[in-house]
Amino acid sequence: MDIRLGAACVTSGILAWGLQHVAHRPGGNVPGVVGLKIEPRLIEKLRGRIHEGSVVVVGTNGKTTVTNLLADVMEQAGRNVLCNRTGANLDSGIASALLKCKGAEWAVLECDELWSAKVVPALQPSYYLLLNLFRDQLDRCGEIDHIQDAIVSALEHSPTTRLIYNADDPLCQMIAERAAKLPSRASSPASIAFGVAESMSLAQNRVADATMCQACRHMFVYDYRQYGQLGSYRCPNCGFARPALDVEASDVRFRPRGVAFQLSGRLNGEERSFEIDSPLSGSYMVYNLTAIATAALQTGCDPKAITQAIKWFDPKNGRLQEYHIHGRDVLLNLAKNPTGFNQNLRIVESDEGPKAVAFFINTQIVDGFDVSWIWDIDFEELANQPHLRVFAGGGRKNDLQVRLKYAGIKAELIDGIEEVFERIAQDDELGADARVYAIANYTALPPVKRQLDRMEREEGSSQSESMAALSQADEKIASMQEESSVSKPQGANPVRIAHMLPDLLNLYGDGGNVRVLEERLAWRGIPVEVERVCYGDTIDLDDVDLVVLGGSPDKEQRLASEELEKMRDDLAAYVEEGGPLLAICGSYQMLGRTWLLDDEEVPGLGILQIETRRPGTSTDRLIGDIVLDVPFASHPVAGFENHAGRTYLDEGVQPFGRVVSEAGVGNNEETRPHADGVIYKNVIGTYLHGPLLSKNPEVADHLLEKALERRAKRDEATAQAEAQEEAQTKATAQAEAQTELLLSLDDSEELAANQFIVAAQVR
Ligand code: GLN
């Protein structure tokens, strides 16, 4: 053993011993951190401890479950397996696992997507098991192609590694195609594609990640779509499509608790077909189990080991973990991005009985600092469920409460899961056997799990006294409903909001802005219609009172810009005649003269006198919370920025606001004092996600005021056209009374979420 390696092993060994025996703490990845400091090539030098082969498990959702269950299958097949079961998936976690290992036949190692670019070349695993790629922690990762680049680079530098991947995910298929073309992989083993062979007939969610072909920037056509971007896709332009599957799931049968399907495929020259029956529910489990079975069969495990391990799988790590507490069934699960959350909501919805659901969101470093993504979750689907009580917890409970409020759900704030049991204890409507669901993101999960573990241990001891009190939220929603009985102005057209290209410009919960506008009208009894103008659709802006455009990753932004170009003159006329418009981030950039896609200078719509440049690459980004002083708003305007482009305003063009937070740049680093966005006529362009309007109700109402004025003009025009004198007088009177329609609402929840950012960011 060389000196460095020896020193790394001894030091980390002492450290691990000390942590365990003196500090009574699990070692975690501390030994790996120290070991790698002493010997940066530690993983490479220790990989010989694995004798037969290794599988690295990568993907946005399901990594920990797949890693643990695949290791179980291998153990069931009689192998000695090394596995980082707790999900320590950076280089230090993997180094720690190897340091602890005295020698194993196989290794199953969970690895973070971005870190795999570093770990995989060092480890040279036999298999790279790629599960899926969804938007997650964009403040850490930038845009999704950055993650794809990292994975391609991992494979490039580990040519003997065989790729096993989810071919239903076009983002993974793209990686497989790019990897196959790498010179270093010219003689690598062919990749193995798995997927689901038929539609699982799931209801579709609003926001999906990849609707666009990354190869040629055309919209995909789907024979069927499962969830997110997963499904049977093809590009009508370049032919990029889901390939023939090597292993596939079919005849999928969902049960209230669990799922069964047929797994078939040809691996190692052998035809296989057998039934998989899992006690774990959720459509995403079909993919997870197919991934596990494919890897297990490929590495020589027999179907019996697979089916047995699946049957006995008992996740003790808070992933789909079940408890029985105070006579109630409790299900705890991790969800950390919109796709994962939506899948969890489906599990909750499929339970028709009375239930309490508690959501917990934190924004620590590993969670990502940006909570905008909660607006991409379809919480609306829970709104009409009977016998349901909803709770919001975690560091960002205020944001959650606002999000749920706009989904029509009153959420009660809680400090921990225990409180849920206390509050529902005497809720007769829910009854004594209502189930409890707890859904939490990364760092929010362990405290919830600890409380549940403890409660289950103490089960039988005195039950807490109930304190089920009607939440404040209840009263608020009730009062809103009262407000919404305000009589509808006779003869008025509904306010029409055009949500432009929601299928492309939907990056960081920006669709939430539309939700906020819509609800704030509805709560006031003002009729509203939202038009989703998707790719290929057209709209007559003369009939529109408010236009909303969201942010977007570079590639989608490019396609969106071509589409918007087609309506450039209409949009310009709409803006010039005072039509209100909100453009966030990528679409704010596109309203200017030019913007940049890597080195390519892309012409913008030229509606605003601004242009966007880029000092570095798409990874050189401005990311973080930001607070502005906006002239028309009495409260500071809070949001989250995440962009590579830097925008410069022409002389005399008004910014949207002045940056007043310690952190936060806004338009660009050079112009001082820092300013963000633009305000021109009734257009607001800004880099603030959040989504902007959810934490800044004044900005929402400012836009609504302008929209109501425009609607009044439309009403007037209709009346004139009809030449009915009476109607005309009525419409004119209405036009004058427009702003009075904007009754004040109780915005205390929105302002609490705003204050959370302002208090932390502004001194
Ligand atoms: N792709 C653009 C940029 O990085 C816009 C990003 C966004 O909309 N968040 O500058």
Side-chain angles (χ1 to χ4, degrees), residues 448-466:
V448 177
K449 177 172 152 49
R450 273 197 298 276
Q451 278 193 351
L452 289 172
D453 286 345
R454 187 176 45 72
M455 289 171 79
E456 195 172 52
R457 269 199 313 272
E458 291 169 4
E459 186 65 29
S461 61
S462 69
Q463 288 206 0
S464 353
E465 282 303 305
S466 156

Side-chain angles (χ1 to χ4, degrees), residues 143 507-508 551-554 557 585-586 589 614 621 642-645 689:
E143 294 180 356
L507 195 48
Y508 303 91
S552 163
D554 281 354
Q557 186 172 333
C585 204
Q589 298 173 349
R614 209 165 252 201
R621 307 180 75 79
N642 186 349
H643 52 110
H689 301 278

Side-chain angles (χ1 to χ4, degrees), residues 567-580:
M567 42 184 131
R568 194 244 157 234
D569 292 347
D570 287 355
L571 271 168
Y574 172 88
V575 167
E576 289 308 316
E577 71 199 24

Side-chain angles (χ1 to χ4, degrees), residues 39-52:
E39 172 49 288
R41 291 170 60 201
L42 191 64
I43 295 178
E44 181 190 328
K45 292 194 172 167
L46 293 183
R47 71 179 184 223
R49 292 184 172 182
I50 315 298
H51 307 309
E52 286 182 24

